[in-house]
Amino acid sequence: MVTITIDGTEVQVPAGELLIKAAEDSGTYIPRFCWHRRMNPVGMCRMCLVEVEGPRGIMLTPSCTMPVNDGMVVHTKSPTVEKAQEGVLEFLLLNHPLDCPVCDKGGECPLQDQTLSHGPGESRMVEEKRHYEKPIPISDLVLLDRERCILCARCVRFSEEISGDPLIEFMDRGNAAEVNTFPDEPFASYFSGNTVQICPVGALTASAYRFRARPWDLREVASVNPLTTTGDGVTVQASQNEVLRFLGVDNDATNHGWLDDRSRFGFEWIASPDRLATPLAKSGDGHTEVSWGEALGAAAENLSAVIEAHGPGAVAAIGGARGTNEDAYALASFMRSSVGSPNLDARLDDGLGTHLLSSLAGKGEIGDLETARTVLVWAADLKEEHPVLYLRVRRAAQELGATLITVHPTATGLADRATHTVTYRPGEGHDLLDRLRAGSGDLADVRAALDEGPVVAIVGRTGLAEDPALAEAVTAFARDLPQASVLPVVRRANTYGAIDMGVAPDLLPGRVAAGGDAGHTGWEKADTSVGLDTRGILEAAADGRVKALLLVGADPLRDVPDADLAARALDAVDVVISIDCFLTDSTAKADIVLPALGFTEKEGTVTNLEGRVMKVNRIVSGPGQARADWSIIDDLAARMGRPLGFESAEAISLAIAEHAPAYGGITWFLLDWKERDGVVAPRDGVEQPLQYIPTTSLRAVGSGGAKRGGFALHLGRLLYDDAVLTRQGASIADLAPGAYAVLNPTDADRIGANGHVEVDGHRLPLRRDASLAEGTVAVPFNQPDGPPLGGSSHVDVAPGAGA
């Protein structure tokens, strides 16, 4: 710490801190346009000019580029500073249109605010201002009004420094300088919405929000991004009971204020006219509306009949990761206590082991990336599946100097920042791991880099056809690296919270292993044995051993990689009950459909990939007669004569804090008033019952690669796909690229493919990628009109007709 004097007051600030930030942290706000705390300073706008006393007298200097030093004397309100700031504003307003009444930024515009607080009060400009065609759609989501731009370069710098998509840039020179995109290259970034939020004027606006509301018309609550596992902080803004905008919140532990565009603009599903508003009962080939009493009565009767005829184990539940922790706790309580069945799973056969996800010994935090010397990413393409985590890893490599190693069947979004890029054919991951452990041959440099700690390893399934045991083996290897912390990752938003609440076949609430003899307070009458996971449930349903299936925010026909197995299971069971927001492909097969409240329509907590528990809040009411999941489940249990006794979501949260060991002491009050950025479970002083240590010996049967003559299948997800919440968002519904196949050019030439290929009989457009491992075909999962390929790790590929 050093001592500096700001406007006559001595303050203690960190040595080397930029003056603009040091002053702000000390209570003195210096106006600015170009400076942003998450980007490198450039000193372009000159609005932050201050006077600093030095050996040669008083110097007028930009505070955003001036580091503090001991004894520095600063003047931020002297007549010279005020005159300079007035001059800067007058120049900025020479050509800036005075269209505040129709500008989306009006009311929350830094230029507007600082003109009032620091401006000259009147303009000497009487000439005609500059005019441009407006607005220009520079992408599907962002519009540009060039005459409003003040050339602060925030958007340009974000695209270069943060997202790695330098698709917006300065053009021309002098008086004609402007920001724009390159010809025939739209601003096709997954993070374009961030430039709208950080733009200090109304030059960049969002097509989804343009002309929708004024800031003073909006109500807002703090919440958490419902579409990713990172736990991104968001502000939800609504007007007249309709959510209109998401803004990123600068949570230092998670997202640094950034959001991906799917998360930022994907909220429109909340007000979709296709939302379920009343309970439905199957009638012929469709459904008819019924009352809640009729629906719950029929559901309770059907479940009770199955239990009486076939036993509790004939009932199973899939889902629970789309709701809150309170919803998940109610579901686990219902299945293990009211029904008496341990067959439940929040994963959809596309994740990792529950013990690995929830209770890994030595599990890391996202913030560990700030101090890492080496980062290993052996997981799905973070840019596609974990976009904000991708930004944090990119920052570690680009700004903080970490050595980045990516291991994947093809080049990922981090390839341009990776020191070492290792590709392998799906199915050969275990062999690659053995070679990496030995540090032999071409992997010697990679192994040497991994010996430089601290090491952060991000581990997951690179694709849905990949052996899930590989991630366990990679985790076991990574835990032995110097000062290692490991982050196991899966895609579906509150998977970690649902698993922690016991929506898992081998876990009880609070990270207690099922099947043990340690007991579980409050669950003495529950079935605490180990049950079936999602794949086991679907196989048992297809074989006739599971007779009733409860779907909670789950669409197995779309989300389970083996869609054929899911279809056979849903066709074979006697009873399907669905709790959902939409009539999905799977819900359409349900006998009883119960409408659920969604995000922003209920309070609760969620848990991110670190195990960080955060609060989500309600700001709008749900459609029609929709109810919270926990309320539906509680009512259903009561009608079955096996009540749970839950009175409110907050009452459930108190039960979680009391009966779920790893969540001891984590209450709504704590999260609302003391730990607004969330708290990692377990808290200091609270013991976690299960400490999972994976082994390197795990290897699934048949994981040795594709069959001879076939292609190994890489089945990965893209940010935009045909998921129900994406389809129901008007702004992003058309952004999914559709189905296609990718081959290495060597393989494409070898089989004579050009234009299209046949993948297991499905004709798909062909793309070539030299970074894809030879002998591999990559097909994105769950795209519009995409083929069901997830039932096998290998496929046959042939030239398409006319190729």
Side-chain angles (χ1 to χ4, degrees):
M1 304 293 286
V2 297
T3 301
I4 66 173
T5 302
I6 302 178
D7 296 332
T9 303
E10 286 192 355
V11 294
Q12 292 273 318
V13 298
E17 184 85 273
L18 290 176
L19 176 55
I20 191 171
K21 186 175 186 303
E24 183 173 356
D25 293 343
S26 303
T28 299
Y29 180 83
I30 300 174
R32 80 291 302 263
F33 294 116
C34 67
W35 184 78
H36 190 283
R37 67 185 298 256
R38 296 297 182 185
M39 292 188 286
N40 295 325
V42 288
M44 294 183 68
C45 72
R46 320 306 278 185
M47 190 62 200
C48 67
L49 289 171
V50 296
E51 284 189 311
V52 177
E53 295 183 12
R56 298 183 179 180
I58 297 178
M59 175 177 60
L60 195 63
T61 184
S63 59
C64 71
T65 59
M66 172 67 73
V68 298
N69 54 67
D70 196 37
M72 178 181 282
V73 178
V74 183
H75 304 280
T76 70
K77 297 180 174 64
S78 68
T80 301
V81 169
E82 292 178 353
K83 186 67 175 177
Q85 291 171 345
E86 285 184 2
V88 169
L89 282 167
E90 188 171 17
F91 274 119
L92 290 178
L93 293 172
L94 285 178
N95 275 305
H96 191 87
L98 300 180
D99 58 354
C100 300
V102 296
C103 177
D104 277 327
K105 202 73 173 181
E108 57 184 10
C109 174
L111 178 61
Q112 192 178 50
D113 294 340
Q114 292 177 46
T115 297
L116 179 64
S117 61
H118 296 81
E122 62 183 27
S123 173
R124 291 174 286 178
M125 176 72 173
V126 296
E127 290 77 16
E128 181 75 9
K129 291 179 182 282
R130 183 168 51 200
H131 300 284
Y132 287 118
E133 175 190 354
K134 60 179 292 184
I136 298 175
I138 59 174
S139 76
D140 294 301
L141 302 170
V142 178
L143 304 172
L144 171 63
D145 290 83
R146 289 172 291 173
E147 73 279 11
R148 295 176 183 166
C149 179
I150 61 172
L151 303 180
C152 70
R154 277 191 175 189
C155 56
V156 175
R157 288 152 52 213
F158 171 85
S159 300
E160 292 178 349
E161 298 175 18
I162 308 296
S163 69
D165 299 316
L167 299 172
I168 187 169
E169 189 55 88
F170 282 119
M171 294 185 176
D172 293 325
R173 303 185 69 175
N175 188 53
E178 62 181 61
V179 295
N180 213 324
T181 56
F182 298 101
D184 302 320
E185 290 190 35
F187 191 25
S189 168
Y190 283 171
F191 307 97
S192 63
N194 293 288
T195 63
V196 175
Q197 181 171 336
I198 65 176
C199 179
V201 293
L204 294 171
T205 54
S207 57
Y209 179 73
R210 192 175 174 94
F211 301 141
R212 294 294 306 277
R214 294 311 233 161
W216 51 83
D217 295 328
L218 300 174
R219 296 181 299 115
E220 65 181 39
V221 294
S223 199
V224 182
N225 180 3
L227 296 180
T228 71
T229 57
T230 321
D232 315 326
V234 298
T235 295
V236 182
Q237 297 183 329
S239 177
Q240 299 181 2
N241 202 45
E242 182 181 356
V243 175
L244 295 180
R245 186 167 62 167
F246 278 11
L247 296 176
V249 172
D250 196 336
N251 184 330
D252 195 63
T254 55
N255 61 316
H256 284 184
W258 312 128
L259 295 175
D260 64 276
D261 286 351
R262 178 172 176 261
S263 300
R264 183 180 296 275
F265 301 112
F267 63 84
E268 292 168 316
W269 66 267
I270 298 170
S272 169
D274 294 333
R275 284 286 300 276
L276 294 172
T278 57
L280 304 175
K282 199 169 188 62
S283 177
D285 293 333
H287 290 85
T288 58
E289 294 185 0
V290 295
S291 68
W292 271 106
E294 293 172 309
L296 289 170
E301 182 180 348
N302 287 338
L303 290 177
S304 298
V306 168
I307 294 170
E308 183 176 352
H310 304 284
V315 179
I318 297 175
R322 196 188 289 170
T324 64
N325 291 344
E326 290 73 15
D327 293 333
Y329 186 84
L331 175 59
S333 302
F334 173 74
M335 287 300 298
R336 289 190 179 268
S337 297
S338 299
V339 174
S341 171
N343 302 325
L344 71 165
D345 198 353
R347 303 161 300 165
L348 293 178
D349 196 33
D350 57 357
L352 303 175
T354 59
H355 290 191
L356 176 65
L357 291 174
S358 72
S359 308
L360 176 67
K363 187 175 182 179
E365 298 182 12
I366 296 172
D368 294 340
L369 290 165
E370 298 293 300
T371 56
R373 288 189 64 184
T374 305
V375 180
L376 170 66
V377 180
W378 194 328
D381 188 343
L382 297 186
K383 189 173 185 178
E384 302 288 351
E385 298 204 24
H386 306 277
V388 170
L389 184 59
Y390 157 84
L391 295 182
R392 294 295 300 265
V393 173
R394 189 176 187 88
R395 165 179 160 79
Q398 179 172 308
E399 301 295 328
L400 304 178
T403 298
L404 175 60
I405 301 166
T406 62
V407 185
H408 198 271
T410 186
T412 68
L414 290 167
D416 64 321
R417 285 293 173 262
T419 307
H420 303 283
T421 299
V422 181
T423 58
Y424 70 98
R425 190 180 185 214
E428 297 176 357
H430 288 281
D431 298 331
L432 174 64
L433 180 59
D434 290 341
R435 292 197 296 118
L436 181 58
R437 186 181 292 109
S440 59
D442 58 342
L443 296 179
D445 290 343
V446 179
R447 186 68 179 88
L450 290 171
D451 288 333
E452 296 290 332
V455 177
V456 173
I458 298 173
V459 181
R461 291 171 69 174
T462 58
L464 298 178
E466 183 71 84
D467 171 18
L470 175 60
E472 299 259 355
V474 173
T475 301
F477 163 72
R479 288 186 70 252
D480 293 332
L481 297 173
Q483 299 172 261
S485 63
V486 183
L487 285 170
V489 294
V490 293
R491 174 182 171 110
R492 197 160 290 105
N494 199 31
T495 298
Y496 296 86
I499 290 173
D500 280 354
M501 295 301 103
V503 186
D506 52 358
L507 277 178
L508 303 179
R511 303 173 188 168
V512 176
D517 56 4
H520 194 283
T521 304
W523 283 55
E524 291 82 4
K525 298 181 180 180
D527 185 335
T528 59
S529 62
V530 176
L532 300 174
D533 63 7
T534 292
R535 186 165 190 86
I537 290 169
L538 294 176
E539 290 174 344
D543 294 341
R545 290 177 285 125
V546 166
K547 301 293 185 179
L549 192 58
L550 175 61
L551 303 178
V552 183
D555 185 4
L557 290 176
R558 289 279 186 161
D559 290 329
V560 170
D562 191 348
D564 178 67
L565 173 61
R568 288 188 287 111
L570 289 175
D571 288 340
V573 292
D574 296 337
V575 178
V576 178
I577 299 169
S578 178
I579 300 174
D580 213 318
C581 296
F582 293 96
L583 198 65
T584 65
D585 291 4
S586 301
T587 300
K589 293 180 175 289
D591 300 282
I592 303 294
V593 181
L594 305 173
L597 294 177
F599 177 74
T600 73
E601 297 166 352
K602 57 187 176 184
E603 277 190 285
T605 57
V606 294
T607 304
N608 79 342
L609 56 86
E610 308 164 289
R612 184 178 301 276
V613 186
M614 294 165 286
K615 183 82 185 310
V616 296
N617 291 296
R618 177 180 182 270
I619 192 170
V620 296
S621 57
Q625 302 174 33
R627 296 168 58 182
D629 296 18
W630 70 264
S631 176
I632 297 171
I633 292 167
D634 183 68
D635 205 343
L636 180 58
R639 289 173 182 268
M640 292 174 64
R642 307 173 185 190
L644 297 173
F646 295 139
E647 297 179 354
S648 66
E650 187 168 12
I652 298 175
S653 76
L654 294 175
I656 294 170
E658 180 179 358
H659 299 307
Y663 281 61
I666 301 178
T667 63
W668 284 14
F669 179 84
L670 176 74
L671 299 174
D672 275 333
W673 299 104
K674 296 183 178 180
E675 300 284 355
R676 295 191 177 186
D677 289 344
V679 57
V680 175
R683 298 178 67 197
D684 291 341
V686 177
E687 291 189 10
Q688 180 171 300
L690 177 63
Q691 293 287 338
Y692 179 64
I693 301 177
T695 66
T696 59
S697 60
L698 294 172
R699 188 185 292 246
V701 176
S703 64
K707 66 180 181 180
R708 186 177 300 276
F711 278 77
L713 175 63
H714 174 55
L715 194 65
R717 290 182 182 271
L718 302 180
L719 182 67
Y720 299 113
D721 57 13
D722 204 27
V724 60
L725 299 188
T726 303
R727 290 200 307 272
Q728 295 294 337
S731 296
I732 63 174
D734 297 328
L735 298 184
Y740 58 87
V742 183
L743 289 176
N744 186 289
T746 301
D747 291 326
D749 293 340
R750 176 170 56 83
I751 67 173
N754 187 22
H756 290 79
V757 290
E758 299 280 343
V759 181
D760 272 1
H762 302 279
R763 190 170 190 266
L764 297 173
L766 172 63
R767 299 186 183 184
R768 295 171 176 243
D769 183 353
S771 72
L772 180 66
E774 291 187 27
T776 304
V777 59
V779 179
F781 179 70
N782 194 23
Q783 288 294 312
D785 301 321
L789 298 173
S792 175
S793 62
H794 62 271
V795 290
D796 293 318
V797 181

